[in-house]
Amino acid sequence: MDAPNGSQDTEQTLDSQVKAFFDSAPPLQNRNDIIQKLNHFIQLNSLSSENGIGKRIVCVTSGGTTAPLEQRCVRYVDNFSSGHRGATSTEYFLKAGYAVIFLYRRGSFQPFCRSLPDDPLLDCFEATEGLNIQVGEAYSKAVKTAIVDHHAAVNSGLLLKLPFSTIFEYLQMLQIISKPMKDIGPRAMFFLAAAVSDFYVPWKDMVEHKIQSGSHILDVKLVQVPKMLSVLRKDWAPVAFCISFKLETDSNILIKKARGALEKYNMHAVVANELSTRKEQVVVVTIDDKITVQRDKSKADDDVENPLIKLLSQRHSAYIEDSKRMR
Amino acid sequence: MDAPNGSQDTEQTLDSQVKAFFDSAPPLQNRNDIIQKLNHFIQLNSLSSENGIGKRIVCVTSGGTTAPLEQRCVRYVDNFSSGHRGATSTEYFLKAGYAVIFLYRRGSFQPFCRSLPDDPLLDCFEATEGLNIQVGEAYSKAVKTAIVDHHAAVNSGLLLKLPFSTIFEYLQMLQIISKPMKDIGPRAMFFLAAAVSDFYVPWKDMVEHKIQSGSHILDVKLVQVPKMLSVLRKDWAPVAFCISFKLETDSNILIKKARGALEKYNMHAVVANELSTRKEQVVVVTIDDKITVQRDKSKADDDVENPLIKLLSQRHSAYIEDSKRMR
């Protein structure tokens, strides 16, 4: 018998890695509640539209995932991400007419809240005489925007917020979201801005109790998280428009890495960003293009996400038109 | 030449570990600003008192420290701690007449804010007609308490808040705080409720850029953080009243571990708590006692920190009296 060829081999390895990951994951809390909310949200937005064909819906992932080192989690490896990119992009997606499923890390930035200080309640409000409270003048506009615009988006049914913490929660929720998103075909987009752990400790390999600190060296061995972008693109959401991100601290390898990810995971675009300049410019890498997108520096409050989401929205529209012609 | 005896040997090892840790630590941002605030705070509170001998001052540490895995930090090992214990204890210390230096992890619970939901601004406020904002009725009391009581404590100069994230920041700040605290002798207390990393990667051993995810296994080797409780008690704050904490998930080893810590670090008391019951009861372990402290379950809003801080305040008073007699 011949050995299986390379591609089959890789596929089998990925499948078994994916199975091992999900088999090892602790069951998701509130699974049914999440499914119910999602179905309602997607149904509502896929019907409502001026032209009768339903809205475009984007799943924006945002913030970093954690990889627990202990089952009763005291220690974990965290991936730094403020969630600024995802929160800001969500605002521009709403402006561009999308409905947004915001899959975010607990405690990370929220849409319409990014000009607030770290601890908005304590930093923005002050006590007045008679023990009443009021917003400090400096924050009056930011606080009003945060509450009014945020609640307007949620209450009008255009913004669904779903929080995660661990890599186990994140990937299970992404899988759950992809199912009803299939129903809207190419009008679905995945905008995968979350900083996802590359490594994890399989749940069953973890010690139940807190790791004791007796020894002088802690040797933590983590295994690679299966390349779920492949799985999402191939199995979970084969018709959706898929955008992933590449963040590097070393600009020399950034574009090469982004192009590698584009090809490896068959993304429609990869947004390449370097840690130190990521709020000023990003590069959108597609199969036949490499477009540098910059914020308008002549406007103090412009964001790089403004031109970025405009560009992606155009590309998504073209993708939907192409899909119609292909039918 | 004889070999050094065991105790000297251990001491030399600790000294060299401490030196290695601080030599490896990146310099603290805003160092001078912190020192200035501290000196002002301690001077103010050590003078002001009804009986002319100055207030007691406690340094409450709260929340978990992070151990970065990369210099331009994307990944880090985090120690879970909401900071609920430290924030709540701070309220009771203020009630008991202490001035409090609150050394807390960014984003962890703040004093007077623990009955607020996760995202207070978005969860507690709503938009009214005419685009004004108001507090939702359910949160009216919690929001008012948070803002009024918190600002009252800060504005009256009784609460100084200093934030940290990494183990490097935490230990450098603790050392800085201990210096002016020496001036108030036994009236100083350290209430070390923070969940401090047991392991870290020395700054100079870290890769500068993001760890690449090419390999299938990530092997992270961390070295033990020097036992700074010993250093604090012996060198930094030899006259202060020192309380540390022992948190375990396994109740079988808890008291033994607490007693071990008491003796090893020469603490005045160790508060032993088990992860699952820590909001209901704790055990205060001292050299000749083991006192179980429970919250008053007949009152819905009583906290275990209420009897805990009462007990520690009494013990601290006795300690101050003893110190006077010893002079």
Side-chain angles (χ1 to χ4, degrees):
Chain A
M1 223 171 111
D2 287 331
N5 70 34
S7 156
Q8 273 180 349
D9 200 22
T10 315
E11 228 165 78
Q12 278 168 3
T13 313
L14 181 60
D15 284 351
S16 66
Q17 283 173 352
V18 171
K19 189 175 180 313
F21 180 88
F22 281 107
D23 283 353
S24 113
L28 190 63
Q29 303 285 311
N30 311 323
R31 187 185 179 92
N32 290 337
D33 183 44
I34 294 170
I35 292 175
Q36 209 176 346
K37 276 185 190 163
L38 264 172
N39 286 340
H40 179 74
F41 183 84
I42 290 176
Q43 208 172 8
L44 195 80
N45 283 295
S46 63
L47 291 174
S48 73
S49 168
E50 285 154 22
N51 53 18
I53 54 156
K55 274 189 172 294
R56 292 184 293 180
I57 302 177
V58 60
C59 171
V60 174
T61 71
S62 189
T65 66
T66 66
L69 299 178
E70 299 151 324
Q71 283 192 6
R72 300 174 71 174
C73 187
V74 176
R75 294 197 187 90
Y76 54 86
V77 178
D78 203 348
N79 265 37
F80 169 73
S81 174
S82 67
H84 193 277
R85 175 82 75 212
T88 310
S89 299
T90 294
E91 297 174 28
Y92 287 102
F93 274 122
L94 289 166
K95 264 190 204 165
Y98 283 80
V100 183
I101 299 163
F102 185 61
L103 182 62
Y104 69 99
R105 164 70 178 275
R106 279 188 190 83
S108 67
F109 266 115
Q110 296 299 297
F112 306 107
C113 294
R114 60 211 156 82
S115 48
L116 295 172
D118 273 1
D119 193 336
L121 197 69
L122 295 179
D123 296 341
C124 299
F125 288 80
E126 49 198 32
T128 61
E129 278 177 61
L131 300 186
N132 282 316
I133 57 166
Q134 67 179 25
V135 184
E137 216 180 306
Y139 297 112
S140 156
K141 188 163 166 258
V143 167
K144 210 171 227 184
T145 302
I147 295 166
V148 173
D149 293 356
H150 180 274
H151 287 331
V154 171
N155 294 340
S156 61
L158 290 170
L159 175 59
L160 176 66
K161 303 206 307 173
L162 299 173
F164 65 83
S165 294
T166 70
I167 176 74
F168 300 112
E169 290 171 342
Y170 174 79
L171 286 175
Q172 289 182 85
M173 289 170 87
L174 194 61
Q175 184 181 28
I176 288 175
I177 292 167
S178 67
K179 277 183 193 157
M181 284 283 262
K182 268 190 182 163
D183 298 344
I184 63 163
R187 281 184 292 121
M189 188 198 289
F190 284 85
F191 181 86
L192 304 158
V196 182
S197 315
D198 292 312
F199 297 96
Y200 76 110
V201 182
W203 196 253
K204 60 180 168 31
D205 293 354
M206 275 177 219
V207 290
E208 186 188 349
H209 291 295
K210 194 180 155 190
I211 296 166
Q212 294 301 319
S213 61
S215 57
H216 283 299
I217 290 205
L218 178 68
D219 191 351
V220 184
K221 287 194 174 66
L222 301 104
V223 303
Q224 202 163 29
V225 173
K227 297 300 180 189
M228 291 294 184
L229 289 184
S230 290
V231 182
L232 177 81
R233 185 71 187 89
K234 197 164 60 77
D235 299 330
W236 296 356
V239 195
F241 192 63
C242 290
I243 315 295
S244 71
F245 282 74
K246 200 77 200 170
L247 171 73
E248 293 291 337
T249 54
D250 184 351
S251 62
N252 296 318
I253 56 170
L254 178 58
I255 298 300
K256 203 178 146 220
K257 285 245 151 203
R259 194 161 291 286
L262 184 84
E263 287 164 12
K264 190 168 173 187
Y265 308 124
N266 198 17
M267 291 285 116
H268 296 100
V270 173
V271 182
N273 50 145
E274 208 234 302
L275 191 61
S276 60
T277 60
R278 69 193 190 284
K279 289 188 182 172
E280 296 300 318
Q281 72 163 46
V282 297
V283 181
V284 178
V285 178
T286 64
I287 197 73
D288 47 17
D289 238 343
K290 196 187 85 172
I291 306 160
T292 300
V293 173
Q294 290 181 308
R295 74 176 194 89
D296 183 348
K297 285 174 192 161
S298 69
K299 294 175 194 156
D301 62 348
D302 193 48
D303 306 294
V304 67
E305 288 81 2
N306 183 8
L308 173 64
I309 304 309
K310 268 188 195 138
L311 175 67
L312 293 178
S313 169
Q314 284 163 8
R315 294 284 169 129
H316 188 198
S317 295
Y319 173 79
I320 295 170
E321 287 308 308
D322 281 355
S323 303
K324 278 184 197 159
R325 275 197 296 275
M326 305 275 275
R327 259 188 250 158
Chain B
M1 222 170 110
D2 287 332
N5 70 34
S7 154
Q8 272 180 349
D9 200 20
T10 315
E11 228 165 80
Q12 277 169 4
T13 313
L14 181 61
D15 284 351
S16 66
Q17 282 172 352
V18 170
K19 189 176 180 314
F21 179 89
F22 281 107
D23 284 352
S24 113
L28 190 64
Q29 302 285 312
N30 311 322
R31 187 185 180 93
N32 290 337
D33 182 43
I34 294 169
I35 292 174
Q36 209 176 347
K37 276 184 189 166
L38 264 171
N39 287 340
H40 178 73
F41 182 84
I42 291 175
Q43 208 172 7
L44 195 79
N45 283 295
S46 63
L47 292 174
S48 73
S49 168
E50 284 155 23
N51 52 19
I53 55 158
K55 275 189 172 293
R56 293 183 292 180
I57 302 179
V58 60
C59 170
V60 174
T61 71
S62 189
T65 65
T66 65
L69 299 178
E70 299 151 325
Q71 283 192 7
R72 300 173 72 173
C73 187
V74 175
R75 294 196 187 89
Y76 53 86
V77 178
D78 202 350
N79 265 36
F80 169 73
S81 174
S82 67
H84 193 277
R85 176 82 75 212
T88 310
S89 299
T90 294
E91 297 174 28
Y92 286 102
F93 274 121
L94 289 166
K95 263 188 204 167
Y98 282 80
V100 184
I101 300 163
F102 184 61
L103 182 61
Y104 70 99
R105 164 71 179 274
R106 280 187 189 83
S108 67
F109 267 114
Q110 296 299 298
F112 306 107
C113 294
R114 59 211 156 83
S115 48
L116 294 173
D118 273 1
D119 193 337
L121 197 69
L122 294 180
D123 296 342
C124 298
F125 288 80
E126 49 198 33
T128 61
E129 278 177 59
L131 301 186
N132 282 316
I133 58 165
Q134 66 178 26
V135 184
E137 216 179 307
Y139 297 112
S140 154
K141 189 165 165 256
V143 167
K144 210 171 227 184
T145 302
I147 296 167
V148 173
D149 293 357
H150 179 275
H151 289 330
V154 172
N155 294 339
S156 62
L158 290 169
L159 174 59
L160 176 66
K161 304 207 306 173
L162 300 172
F164 65 83
S165 294
T166 70
I167 177 74
F168 300 112
E169 289 170 342
Y170 174 79
L171 286 175
Q172 288 182 85
M173 288 169 87
L174 194 61
Q175 185 181 28
I176 288 175
I177 292 167
S178 68
K179 278 183 193 157
M181 285 283 263
K182 267 190 182 165
D183 298 343
I184 62 163
R187 282 185 291 122
M189 188 199 288
F190 284 85
F191 182 86
L192 304 158
V196 182
S197 314
D198 293 312
F199 297 96
Y200 77 110
V201 182
W203 195 253
K204 61 181 168 32
D205 293 354
M206 275 178 219
V207 290
E208 186 188 349
H209 291 295
K210 193 180 157 191
I211 296 166
Q212 295 302 318
S213 61
S215 57
H216 283 299
I217 290 203
L218 178 69
D219 192 348
V220 184
K221 288 194 174 66
L222 301 105
V223 303
Q224 201 162 29
V225 172
K227 297 299 180 189
M228 291 293 185
L229 290 183
S230 290
V231 182
L232 177 81
R233 185 70 186 88
K234 198 165 58 76
D235 300 331
W236 295 356
V239 196
F241 191 63
C242 289
I243 316 295
S244 71
F245 282 73
K246 200 77 201 168
L247 172 73
E248 293 291 338
T249 55
D250 184 351
S251 63
N252 296 318
I253 57 171
L254 177 59
I255 299 300
K256 204 180 145 217
K257 285 246 151 202
R259 194 162 292 286
L262 185 83
E263 287 164 12
K264 190 169 174 187
Y265 308 124
N266 197 18
M267 290 286 116
H268 296 100
V270 173
V271 182
N273 49 147
E274 208 233 301
L275 191 61
S276 60
T277 59
R278 69 193 190 283
K279 290 189 182 171
E280 296 300 318
Q281 71 163 46
V282 297
V283 180
V284 178
V285 178
T286 64
I287 197 73
D288 47 17
D289 237 344
K290 195 187 85 172
I291 307 160
T292 300
V293 173
Q294 290 182 306
R295 73 177 196 91
D296 183 348
K297 285 175 193 160
S298 69
K299 293 175 195 155
D301 63 349
D302 194 46
D303 306 293
V304 67
E305 289 81 0
N306 183 8
L308 172 65
I309 304 309
K310 267 188 195 138
L311 175 67
L312 293 177
S313 169
Q314 283 163 9
R315 296 283 168 129
H316 188 198
S317 294
Y319 172 80
I320 295 169
E321 287 308 308
D322 280 355
S323 304
K324 278 183 196 159
R325 274 198 296 274
M326 305 275 275
R327 259 187 247 159

